[in-house]
Amino acid sequence: MLCAQKPDKILAFSALKLHPTLLRGLKDLGFTRPTPIQSRAIPPGLEGRDLLANAATGSGKTAAFLLPILHQLADRPRGTSRALVLAPTRELALQILDDLNGLARYTGLTAAPVYGGVGMGPQEKAFRKGVDFLIATPGRLLDHFQYDYATLSGLEYLVLDEADRM
């Protein structure tokens, strides 16, 4: 398990060898140096290793798990959902979506939220289209699994954000 409290040498994002489109997005967002959790999590994530991380709110955990996945998917074919991020609340799902859209703005990667309290039609379209990322709450994801369109046969990446709350 990675823990943000352990000191690490803080590198520039460019030293992490992220895809150039991600570096461009980070620059536009004003991010130049990774936080401790990012500098510890991104390198093993880029190697495709499984991660379990714990860090304080506001420490940059979302970018720590999104950037390696975005890097891996940046030059891949589209048309199937390859990454699923599960979040306990719709508010967190929307926050993750907002962060992803900012980081991925130059990649062409797509994402869709899947949460309750809204119509399922746009979410069904996202499943059928095969957006690159689905960001879902567990209950609404299970609602969709009642139907044949809701398959995750191309899934390569699974993130359980705030797993202790689900």
Side-chain angles (χ1 to χ4, degrees):
M1 177 165 83
L2 298 177
C3 185
Q5 287 75 24
K6 293 183 181 178
D8 257 337
K9 183 177 179 184
I10 304 297
L11 307 169
F13 275 110
S14 59
L16 294 172
K17 299 184 173 126
L18 291 166
H19 195 277
T21 58
L22 296 175
L23 293 174
R24 187 173 167 204
L26 285 162
K27 182 179 178 185
D28 282 2
L29 293 170
F31 300 138
T32 56
R33 304 175 94 197
T35 65
I37 192 64
Q38 292 165 352
S39 65
R40 291 184 52 88
I42 291 171
L46 292 172
E47 294 171 6
R49 294 176 39 206
D50 292 339
L51 295 173
L52 176 62
N54 182 19
T57 299
S59 63
K61 290 184 301 289
T62 303
F65 69 72
L66 287 176
L67 285 168
I69 299 169
L70 288 164
H71 175 85
Q72 299 294 338
L73 297 181
D75 293 327
R76 304 274 304 279
R78 306 290 194 267
T80 188
S81 297
R82 298 185 192 277
L84 171 63
V85 180
L86 283 176
T89 66
R90 90 169 82 179
E91 293 79 15
L92 183 56
L94 289 171
Q95 178 184 330
I96 294 166
L97 178 66
D98 187 50
D99 289 350
L100 187 148
N101 286 335
L103 294 168
R105 71 179 60 186
Y106 300 112
T107 66
L109 293 167
T110 59
V114 176
Y115 57 84
V118 296
M120 288 177 60
Q123 298 170 4
E124 177 184 346
K125 284 176 83 172
F127 273 100
R128 291 186 185 278
K129 181 180 175 186
V131 295
D132 299 296
F133 280 81
L134 289 168
I135 303 168
T137 58
R140 179 50 66 99
L141 184 63
L142 290 173
D143 290 344
H144 282 285
F145 282 155
Q146 298 175 62
Y147 305 101
D148 63 350
Y149 64 81
T151 65
L152 297 174
S153 59
L155 193 68
E156 298 176 36
Y157 301 95
L158 173 63
V159 176
L160 304 175
D161 196 4
E162 295 194 17
D164 58 323
R165 294 186 53 205
M166 285 190 277

